[in-house]
Amino acid sequence: MRKTKDLSAARAQQPHASRPKTAASKAESAELSELRPGQSIELLKELHILTRDGRLNQDSRRKLKQVYHLFNFIEPLLTELATTDQGPTLADHGAGKSYLGFILYDLYFKALGHGHIYGVETRAELVDKSRLLAQKLGFERMSFLNVSVAESTGADELPARIDVVTALHACDTATDDAIAFGLQKQARAMVLVPCCQAEMAACLRQGKALQLSRTPLAELWRHPLHTRELGSQVTNVLRCLYLEASGYQVTVTELVGWEHSMKNELIIARYTGQKKRSASERLRAILEEFGLDKALGARFGLKPEARDTQVALELVPD
């Protein structure tokens, strides 16, 4: 019995720290394997994507997954445009904490050695933090503007032309403002993930879409939840048609799985110069069908003085 106790005591004196340390080390290695090669661990900790001990929680993993997927779509566009010693330039609207901008810079712009990222955000405290972080990390070709998306179009800090425009979860009409910005800046590509959309739903409720009020389709906006979702879908359809009418080739897909984000629609627009007359005609027809042409026509490029049979934009046939 004494021998057994002595043996137990001897085992207790042996270092067990190696076991949990090994397990922790394996867990940390597994988490770090989810990161891209060469990615700055310091940056991810500063963005609170990684904890101070290098761990990923579920919320951080979800954010990182969204940004990585978006990066996969944006990187080929940047590579196409990185043909000079100046470009590419990218404007990130509704930047927030600039997760997307910082990771784009870390994974692409840093090694490229040229090009510039502009973050546009209305919350001054987030802009200040982003400026300090860029300075701390030596990300010299990043600038941050404390203006709205609409105001950024005339901001002196931005160049006359921007190659790529991004807007990740820009709420309500901010996505439309980002599109207007891209058109004015002659963007070669736009990558948009729309968020909540209230303007269309409000217009539907206000006018009750008079043209459809005596048809069964009026049931689509009898309940506020349905009206909101319908308004969001119609808005995104109109955005795509507007981009096609303005000379862009448009692709619509999912950003990530629905389990990671409910706002999951990704709109990718690449400039071709071929403005589609049919897209403008369909855009006008949808607005008229829902009784929204007067309220929202100007937002989607339709001139109010144009007659019903006249196409507002000067377009070439498909």
Side-chain angles (χ1 to χ4, degrees):
M1 183 69 176
R2 176 60 180 269
K3 185 176 181 180
T4 303
K5 287 183 178 181
D6 290 344
L7 181 59
S8 299
R11 286 176 177 173
Q13 292 175 3
Q14 292 178 357
H16 286 276
S18 59
R19 293 184 187 176
K21 184 177 179 180
T22 302
S25 178
K26 288 182 179 179
E28 184 175 350
S29 297
E31 290 177 338
L32 292 179
S33 69
E34 298 183 34
L35 308 182
R36 299 298 177 93
Q39 188 157 21
S40 170
I41 302 301
E42 182 184 3
L43 169 63
L44 296 181
K45 288 182 178 180
E46 290 288 347
L47 293 176
H48 303 292
I49 290 177
L50 285 178
T51 62
R52 288 300 171 188
D53 56 353
R55 309 299 291 273
L56 274 171
N57 60 38
Q58 192 58 37
D59 185 56
S60 296
R61 185 175 279 106
R62 183 167 51 250
K63 288 179 182 177
L64 195 61
K65 187 177 183 67
Q66 291 182 46
V67 174
Y68 278 165
H69 273 264
L70 203 53
F71 176 82
N72 288 337
F73 289 107
I74 296 173
E75 183 185 24
L77 300 174
L78 294 172
T79 301
E80 289 179 20
L81 299 172
T83 56
T84 69
D85 293 337
Q86 302 299 321
T89 53
L90 181 145
D92 180 26
H93 289 292
K97 295 180 181 178
S98 292
Y99 289 105
L100 176 61
F102 277 114
I103 290 178
L104 280 171
Y105 193 100
D106 187 40
L107 293 180
Y108 186 84
F109 282 80
K110 185 168 62 176
L112 186 65
H114 53 84
H116 203 102
I117 293 178
Y118 299 89
V120 177
E121 173 57 44
T122 57
R123 289 166 287 183
E125 68 278 10
L126 296 183
V127 172
D128 290 340
K129 288 181 180 178
S130 293
R131 287 171 178 166
L132 290 173
L133 180 55
Q135 184 178 7
K136 178 179 180 180
L137 297 174
F139 290 5
E140 298 176 351
R141 288 170 285 109
M142 289 191 80
S143 302
F144 301 92
L145 286 72
N146 182 207
V147 294
S148 68
V149 180
E151 292 168 340
S152 66
T153 302
D156 294 334
E157 299 94 324
L158 288 164
R161 297 190 66 175
I162 292 288
D163 292 316
V164 180
V165 173
T166 62
L168 176 59
H169 294 158
C171 287
D172 204 11
T173 59
T175 298
D176 301 306
D177 293 335
I179 291 173
F181 173 93
L183 295 178
Q184 171 128 357
K185 297 293 185 179
Q186 299 176 301
R188 301 292 301 278
M190 301 190 212
V191 181
L192 312 167
V193 181
C195 194
C196 52
Q197 218 296 326
E199 184 188 41
M200 175 74 73
C203 291
L204 286 172
R205 285 193 296 268
Q206 183 179 10
K208 296 297 183 184
L210 297 178
Q211 283 80 350
L212 302 178
S213 61
R214 293 184 176 84
T215 75
L217 291 178
E219 290 297 313
L220 293 174
W221 52 88
R222 181 158 66 94
H223 299 289
L225 177 61
H226 294 159
T227 304
R228 186 181 66 193
E229 294 303 315
L230 172 67
S232 179
Q233 291 301 314
V234 173
T235 299
N236 288 338
V237 168
L238 293 173
R239 286 166 174 163
C240 293
L241 289 172
Y242 184 27
L243 287 165
E244 290 179 337
S246 301
Y248 288 81
Q249 181 185 51
V250 176
T251 301
V252 180
T253 185
E254 292 180 2
L255 174 59
V256 289
W258 291 104
E259 70 274 13
H260 296 287
S261 174
M262 292 302 293
K263 303 299 181 182
N264 200 33
E265 184 170 341
L266 173 63
I267 300 172
I268 303 172
R270 301 160 61 104
Y271 186 73
T272 64
Q274 294 297 311
K275 300 179 179 181
K276 292 186 177 181
R277 180 184 296 274
S278 59
S280 181
E281 291 172 345
R282 289 194 294 270
L283 189 156
R284 177 181 293 278
I286 290 173
L287 286 171
E288 290 177 349
E289 187 75 9
F290 283 92
L292 300 169
D293 48 321
K294 292 182 180 179
L296 300 179
R299 177 174 292 279
F300 296 103
L302 301 182
K303 297 178 181 178
E305 69 272 17
R307 289 176 294 180
D308 292 343
T309 57
Q310 178 182 354
V311 178
L313 302 173
E314 295 180 3
L315 306 170
V316 298
D318 290 349

